């Protein structure tokens, strides 16, 4: 969902809200400088060849992203790009 603040179309502020933006923010906070991290949804859409460039880092998280999974008993996985 996007929200527009103000009536002036040239000076208006726009904000994006919702679960996708919330998840993106949480994943971004996990990343170190110059590190590429993707969530389960993005990883699942990658070609298997591209998936081979990522490793699962979910077990290393201090606080798993369990409540963001589509299934209540499943943890949402996060993957890091393996630099070659």
């Amino acid at each position: 969902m996007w929200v527009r603040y103000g009536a002036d179309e040239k000076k208006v502020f726009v904000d994006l809200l919702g679960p996708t933006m919330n998840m993106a923010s949480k994943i971004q906070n996990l990343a170190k400088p110059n590190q590429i991290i993707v969530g389960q949804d993005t990883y699942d859409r990658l070609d298997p060849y591209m998936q081979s460039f990522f490793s699962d880092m979910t077990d290393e998280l201090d606080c798993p992203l369990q409540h963001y999974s589509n299934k209540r008993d499943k943890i949402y996985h996060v993957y890091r790009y393996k630099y070659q």
Side-chain angles (χ1 to χ4, degrees):
M1 169 178 19
W2 62 275
V3 178
R4 187 173 90 179
Y5 301 101
D8 186 345
E9 292 184 15
K10 292 184 180 180
K11 296 182 181 180
V12 69
F13 292 100
V14 176
D15 200 0
L16 300 173
L17 307 170
T20 302
M21 296 308 296
N22 190 20
M23 177 55 76
S25 173
K26 293 197 181 304
I27 291 172
Q28 177 183 346
N29 288 334
L30 297 172
K32 296 176 184 170
N34 298 317
Q35 184 180 38
I36 299 170
I37 295 180
V38 298
Q40 183 73 55
D41 295 325
T42 301
Y43 179 82
D44 289 343
R45 287 174 174 80
L46 292 174
D47 178 88
Y49 173 74
M50 291 304 298
Q51 286 179 345
S52 70
F53 290 97
F54 288 85
S55 63
D56 192 340
M57 63 179 279
T58 306
D59 292 338
E60 301 169 24
L61 302 179
D62 292 333
C63 182
L65 304 174
Q66 184 170 4
H67 55 289
Y68 292 102
S69 175
N70 290 334
K71 298 177 184 176
R72 290 194 150 197
D73 59 341
K74 187 174 181 187
I75 293 173
Y76 188 87
H77 286 255
V78 181
Y79 299 84
R80 79 163 57 89
Y81 179 74
K82 300 183 287 187
Y83 295 101
Q84 305 299 334

